[in-house]
Amino acid sequence: MSHFQQIQLSDLAPGQEATVLQVKAQGPIRRRLLEMGFIERENRISRSIRVVLAPLGDPMELVIKGYHLSLRREEGACILVSRLEPTRV
Amino acid sequence: MVTIALAGNPNSGKTTLFNGLTGSRQHVGNWAGVTVERRSGFVELEDETFEVVDLPGTYSLSAQSEDERIASGFLAGGDVDLIINVLDASNLERNLYLTTQLLELHRPIVFVLNMMDDAERQGVSIDLEGLQVLLGGPVIPTVGNREEGLDALKTALIGVSRGLDPRIRAIPVHYGDDIENELSKLEREILRDERLAGSHVPRWLALQLIERSPEAMALLLESHAQSAIASQLKATLAFLEAHLGADGGTLLAEHRYGFAHGLVTEVLQRGHSTQRSHTDRIDALLTHRWLGIPIFLAILIAVYSLTFLVGKYPQDWIGAGFGWLQRQAGTLLPPGELTSLLADGIIPGVGAVVVFVPIIMLLMGCIAFLEDTGYMARAAFIMDRLMHLMGLHGKSFIPLIMGTGCNVPGVQATRTIEAKEDRFITILVSPLVSCSARLQVYILIAGTFFKPVPAAFAIIGMHFLGFALAMIMGKLLRLTLFRGADTPFVMELPPYRMPVLKATLIHMWEKGSVFLSRAGTVILAGATLVWFLSHYPGITRRDWTTEHLSSRATVTAMALPSAEQALRLAELDLAYESRIMNTSFAARFGRLLQPVLAPILDPDHTRAEAWKDGVALTAGFVAKEIVVGTLAVVHQASAEPADPKARISPLQDALRRRSGLTPLTALAFMVFTLIYTPCLGTIGMILKETRSLPWTLFTVLYGLGLAWLLAWGTVALGRLAGFA
């Protein structure tokens, strides 16, 4: 059901769900992302549909392992995901 | 005595449980990592004393952040007999990640499953019996902010501490054969050093080494088996990388989440909760694309008004009370050094400290309330884009805005910023934000040297300049002294919860009293020092005192109408004060400063009274509004208009006619006042919040340097543009 297309987490559109493929970040950010649940190949995350995009547009809010998390887009860009079927909004 | 470590994720309700258990005064927050300090309390259970240590809320024990180092260091040390692991039932899987690390410590653990009500509302049901078996310890369900389940917890604590609880079992997290194999090799090398193996669980240490935790690496350096362990570690890491295709930290994290996931699958049933949670519904409004910022600003205005407008009343009462005390001391006691120490040194000094308490309590109360609801995380979320551009964090916004009222609580409000680097940068730039005390100086100076409209522009301009400088300095600090320390903004947005009023009140009381005891002493000492410098040696001149008293007696004997008599007496008092001030150490210091200040305040070296600026600015070190009072004394002209209808006060008249300041140098004076050194109260607070004398001195010194530079720039540019 997933078309195995790698995109950056930050490019995910509001309301879409995705699976984590790879965390490219290194060092402390990588560690922190792993601890917060960005485990490769395991997870289903969904970017929340309630993201504050404007006027500031950054950071982004998403739901992972059932809780809400916010990330800066530059951090989201370090995470490669594959899109799942869009969920009903 | 039994030592209990209370461990858990941020926002898991750990601190509420701590309050419930020990009855101690401890803040409950919704921000990740409020409890930076280790706090403990005692509880007596069946003749046994338990010491409960509330660890900072952390997501893991990887010892990366300050909080994690504190928690991990305490847990791995030998003092802990028992661990309470608080788990948020509504967010179990992520909470169990920390648990996998706690299980490695080989200590009995009592699990508290908190927020059961939230979980039930989400349609989640948890098999408690199953969880007890899988985790190897009693699992006690509790409910959020109510004190439910506390008795069951206490019973479990007694049983476990006596070794009588049958549910306690060692549960190993299995990392897969390859990793387990490498772990046992590492353990074998660690066991060579008996002291190391005696003070730390070898498996725990081996895991920490694979994760390359800085703490474990430091322990390694102290070990006599250092080379054996290090070479095994190198081989292990190389093996894992080659065979499993990832670094050690990643592999461990994957297995830990694997364990957590397996456990959750086993014990947790997710019902069909079609209804959106109340948090989602509130967020739909509060972080709305268009409404989010207006709502945030409205909340900010409300907090600001509550703090500084409502707080002004108790401040005025305190000010009036200390003023009365000061007058009583001045009139009832015979004039002399001791009276002056009391009336002009200690009473106003204590007053200068106490006057901050109402606004500190109000602001910290508002912030604690917002934290407890979960809104502070949203505020940071909304403002982060803007603040990040300036090298700051989303959470820096509120402290800086509050600084426009008063820098002292502004600096204290940086407490909410988790990462040390972000917090330090915010603290270091916050004195640049123009506060209401500086406004009084601007009003005096601008009102003297500018026409009303340019004066208003100059005053508003100072506020903009302050903010702009804070932003630029923030960026500069980020690029230089705090380089490479850009902390990730991976921040949980916790569910909205109803705050407990009692916790907020406890927090307010705590902040107020801590301010008095810690920052208060610094402020009082500084105020007394400045009193000494500005009164000695003149205050010891008996002949001056006698002369002053006899002139007063002469005026009193003239039997003038009471209004005129009061005026004449006030003039005499001011003359006496001026005489002391203008011969004081502070005045000598002001004269010493003259060459330094000359390029900005006296560029043509034509001002005979230029040294008086130095005296006023020196005294303004205590509090910026004192610049006004000191100018009045050094120029021997009252800052209050004698005639209420007069447009300008005698001081303004004196400044205009005698001081020799021009509109341009007056503007430079305002710029200098804005930037030069934080006031004593702010310095006391910075020292308290950074706990670092070097950084506190740095703030003072860069302020002085920057102030001089910008004031000089003002004069230079102004002259280029043709102003005098």
Side-chain angles (χ1 to χ4, degrees):
Chain A
M1 65 183 229
S2 66
H3 21 130
F4 202 77
Q5 191 200 354
Q6 281 194 359
I7 59 163
Q8 292 177 348
L9 177 61
S10 48
D11 293 335
L12 216 55
Q16 276 182 333
E17 286 200 16
T19 307
V20 178
L21 294 175
Q22 197 193 347
V23 179
K24 287 200 301 181
Q26 290 301 325
I29 299 188
R30 177 186 183 83
R31 183 67 56 81
R32 177 43 46 103
L33 290 171
L34 289 173
E35 288 163 0
M36 299 308 275
F38 289 92
I39 297 296
E40 295 167 13
R41 291 178 294 279
E42 264 207 33
N43 251 289
R44 178 176 273 224
I45 58 164
S46 64
R47 182 160 154 193
S48 163
I49 52 169
R50 290 170 292 93
V51 182
V52 177
L53 288 172
L56 306 179
D58 196 25
M60 56 196 277
E61 178 181 351
L62 46 89
V63 178
I64 181 167
K65 291 189 182 292
Y67 75 96
H68 294 259
L69 189 73
S70 66
L71 285 179
R72 287 193 183 128
R73 282 166 162 272
E74 62 193 52
E75 288 151 4
C78 300
I79 301 168
L80 294 182
V81 296
S82 96
R83 221 175 270 157
L84 295 174
E85 293 291 301
T87 48
R88 282 170 289 120
V89 177
Chain B
M1 194 174 67
V2 180
T3 304
I4 301 178
L6 194 58
N9 280 191
N11 312 307
S12 60
K14 204 165 58 64
T15 310
T16 322
L17 190 79
F18 178 73
N19 284 342
L21 259 183
T22 62
S24 95
R25 330 221 120 184
Q26 171 74 34
H27 166 61
V28 195
N30 240 354
W31 260 113
V34 166
T35 38
V36 181
E37 288 151 4
R38 169 188 147 180
R39 301 193 187 184
S40 58
F42 292 91
V43 57
E44 301 275 340
L45 301 173
E46 295 195 358
D47 300 330
E48 179 67 78
T49 308
F50 291 76
E51 188 194 12
V52 187
V53 179
D54 187 20
L55 297 177
T58 59
Y59 297 106
S60 90
L61 295 178
S62 303
Q64 299 228 52
S65 70
E66 205 175 29
D67 286 359
E68 286 166 7
R69 266 196 294 282
I70 294 166
S72 139
F74 184 70
L75 286 165
D79 298 333
V80 180
D81 301 303
L82 205 162
I83 299 169
I84 298 178
N85 181 196
V86 186
L87 299 163
D88 177 353
S90 64
N91 185 4
L92 191 58
E93 189 172 338
R94 202 210 54 222
N95 275 255
L96 283 171
Y97 185 88
L98 176 70
T99 307
T100 60
Q101 290 178 306
L102 295 175
L103 289 171
E104 311 286 355
L105 291 163
H106 292 207
R107 297 267 193 286
I109 307 180
V110 175
F111 299 92
V112 170
L113 206 50
N114 203 7
M115 316 288 177
M116 280 303 274
D117 50 341
D118 281 0
E120 277 158 26
R121 221 172 295 131
Q122 289 174 17
V124 166
S125 65
I126 296 169
D127 169 14
L128 294 179
E129 291 294 321
L131 197 57
Q132 281 185 163
V133 174
L134 291 170
L135 287 174
V139 174
I140 315 293
T142 55
V143 167
N145 289 327
R146 279 173 272 153
E147 296 191 347
E148 270 172 45
L150 263 184
D151 290 332
L153 175 61
K154 287 176 181 170
T155 314
L157 289 177
I158 296 164
V160 172
S161 69
R162 290 176 183 165
L164 296 175
D165 197 307
R167 291 168 290 191
I168 294 287
R169 286 191 309 130
I171 299 288
V173 177
H174 192 74
Y175 289 96
D177 292 340
D178 284 334
I179 298 176
E180 288 295 335
N181 199 12
E182 295 300 316
L183 275 174
S184 46
K185 281 189 209 165
L186 262 175
E187 278 176 60
R188 211 170 320 148
E189 300 303 329
I190 290 166
L191 283 168
R192 286 170 188 270
D193 184 342
E194 281 162 21
R195 219 167 41 123
L196 187 62
S199 60
H200 291 79
V201 179
R203 185 179 162 89
W204 159 265
L205 202 56
L207 285 164
Q208 291 275 305
L209 285 172
I210 288 182
E211 286 185 294
R212 291 187 226 236
S213 120
E215 306 288 289
M217 291 300 187
L219 281 172
L220 185 58
L221 287 181
E222 290 167 13
S223 168
H224 64 73
Q226 184 194 345
S227 62
I229 303 173
S231 70
Q232 178 58 48
L233 179 62
K234 209 175 154 202
T236 296
L237 290 174
F239 172 83
L240 294 178
E241 187 88 50
H243 284 75
L244 301 174
D247 68 281
T250 307
L251 291 169
L252 296 189
E254 283 179 358
H255 281 282
R256 284 177 184 144
Y257 262 117
F259 176 89
H261 187 72
L263 214 146
V264 167
T265 319
E266 198 85 5
V267 301
L268 190 139
Q269 294 283 319
R270 231 175 260 283
H272 292 286
S273 159
T274 45
Q275 206 191 353
R276 277 209 295 168
S277 73
H278 69 287
T279 294
D280 286 347
R281 270 179 282 133
I282 298 170
D283 258 347
L285 184 67
L286 293 188
T287 60
H288 184 274
R289 188 167 172 177
W290 302 115
L291 296 177
I293 290 179
I295 292 175
F296 170 67
L297 293 178
I299 291 175
L300 201 65
I301 290 167
V303 170
Y304 193 94
S305 318
L306 188 62
T307 305
F308 296 110
L309 299 185
V310 176
K312 201 178 174 327
Y313 292 100
Q315 274 193 309
D316 286 348
W317 301 332
I318 291 168
F322 278 95
W324 180 83
L325 266 180
Q326 188 178 7
R327 278 193 305 280
Q328 292 302 307
T331 38
L332 293 180
L333 299 170
E337 290 169 65
L338 274 176
T339 306
S340 174
L341 172 64
L342 194 66
D344 306 321
I346 290 176
I347 293 176
V350 175
V353 177
V354 178
V355 83
F356 288 120
V357 173
I359 52 169
I360 281 179
M361 288 179 65
L362 282 166
L363 180 61
M364 297 321 282
C366 290
I367 287 180
F369 183 86
L370 290 178
E371 268 180 29
D372 290 352
T373 58
Y375 185 73
M376 282 299 268
R378 272 77 183 182
F381 178 70
I382 291 170
M383 293 316 294
D384 185 67
R385 176 72 185 273
L386 191 65
M387 302 312 282
H388 189 46
L389 284 177
M390 298 141 187
L392 298 170
H393 188 278
K395 295 176 200 174
S396 310
F397 190 75
I398 289 183
L400 289 182
I401 290 295
M402 292 305 144
T404 60
C406 175
N407 289 173
V408 175
V411 170
Q412 193 172 31
T414 59
R415 256 306 158 88
T416 55
I417 305 169
E418 245 178 295
K420 194 178 161 193
E421 292 78 15
D422 292 328
R423 192 168 69 236
F424 268 55
I425 294 177
T426 312
I427 291 174
L428 297 188
V429 304
S430 58
L432 295 170
V433 173
S434 190
C435 63
S436 57
R438 275 168 262 189
L439 184 61
Q440 301 178 32
V441 183
Y442 306 152
I443 290 173
L444 171 76
I445 300 291
T448 307
F449 293 97
F450 302 129
K451 291 194 176 71
V453 175
F457 272 107
I459 292 171
I460 294 167
M462 287 301 126
H463 287 82
F464 274 101
L465 180 63
F467 258 106
L469 287 173
M471 300 308 164
I472 294 167
M473 278 306 293
K475 193 75 192 169
L476 274 178
L477 286 169
R478 173 65 82 197
L479 292 174
T480 55
L481 296 172
F482 295 89
R483 191 173 40 194
D486 201 357
T487 35
F489 188 77
V490 185
M491 182 182 71
E492 185 183 359
L493 297 170
Y496 287 106
R497 289 186 180 124
M498 203 54 209
V500 190
L501 187 63
K502 191 176 135 201
T504 310
L505 293 176
I506 288 174
H507 184 76
M508 288 169 69
W509 170 251
E510 205 178 76
K511 289 294 167 195
S513 56
V514 166
F515 169 77
L516 281 180
S517 60
R518 295 245 186 90
T521 44
V522 176
I523 300 171
L524 185 56
T528 312
L529 179 70
V530 172
W531 166 81
F532 173 80
L533 291 177
S534 53
H535 285 80
Y536 277 78
I539 191 85
T540 56
R541 292 283 297 265
R542 290 285 151 77
D543 50 335
W544 291 4
T545 318
T546 321
E547 203 179 305
H548 173 55
L549 286 177
S550 70
S551 334
R552 276 189 72 110
T554 317
V555 169
T556 318
M558 286 183 345
L560 295 160
S562 66
E564 197 185 336
Q565 188 189 29
L567 193 68
R568 296 279 293 271
L569 286 178
E571 274 171 8
L572 282 176
D573 289 346
L574 193 59
Y576 176 61
E577 281 174 48
S578 295
R579 192 175 192 183
I580 291 173
M581 172 65 97
N582 291 348
T583 55
S584 68
F585 293 123
R588 291 176 208 181
F589 185 69
R591 286 197 166 88
L592 281 180
L593 281 182
Q594 205 186 339
V596 182
L597 291 175
I600 57 173
L601 298 177
D602 187 19
D604 300 323
H605 301 279
T606 52
R607 295 179 51 209
E609 297 195 341
W611 62 275
K612 292 183 176 178
D613 309 333
V615 181
L617 290 169
T618 307
F621 178 69
V622 175
K624 300 283 173 98
E625 71 268 25
I626 290 181
V627 170
V628 176
T630 312
L631 280 173
V633 174
V634 287
H635 286 282
Q636 208 182 327
S638 170
E640 303 290 330
D643 176 4
K645 282 186 223 111
R647 293 273 305 277
I648 57 170
S649 66
L651 173 60
Q652 287 180 310
D653 188 51
L655 284 174
R656 202 180 274 176
R657 286 189 293 114
R658 296 203 305 263
S659 77
L661 281 171
T662 64
L664 185 60
T665 46
L667 188 67
F669 188 91
M670 286 166 68
V671 171
F672 195 83
T673 306
L674 164 68
I675 310 164
Y676 90 107
T677 178
C679 70
L680 251 176
T682 312
I683 291 171
M685 191 57 105
I686 292 174
L687 190 61
K688 172 178 160 304
E689 291 298 317
T690 59
R691 297 199 174 181
S692 156
L693 195 58
W695 281 122
T696 309
L697 288 175
F698 172 79
T699 317
V700 175
L701 293 178
Y702 95 69
L704 289 170
L706 192 65
W708 193 91
L709 218 61
L710 276 151
W712 180 81
T714 307
V715 172
L717 280 176
R719 299 213 142 187
L720 275 181
F723 293 100

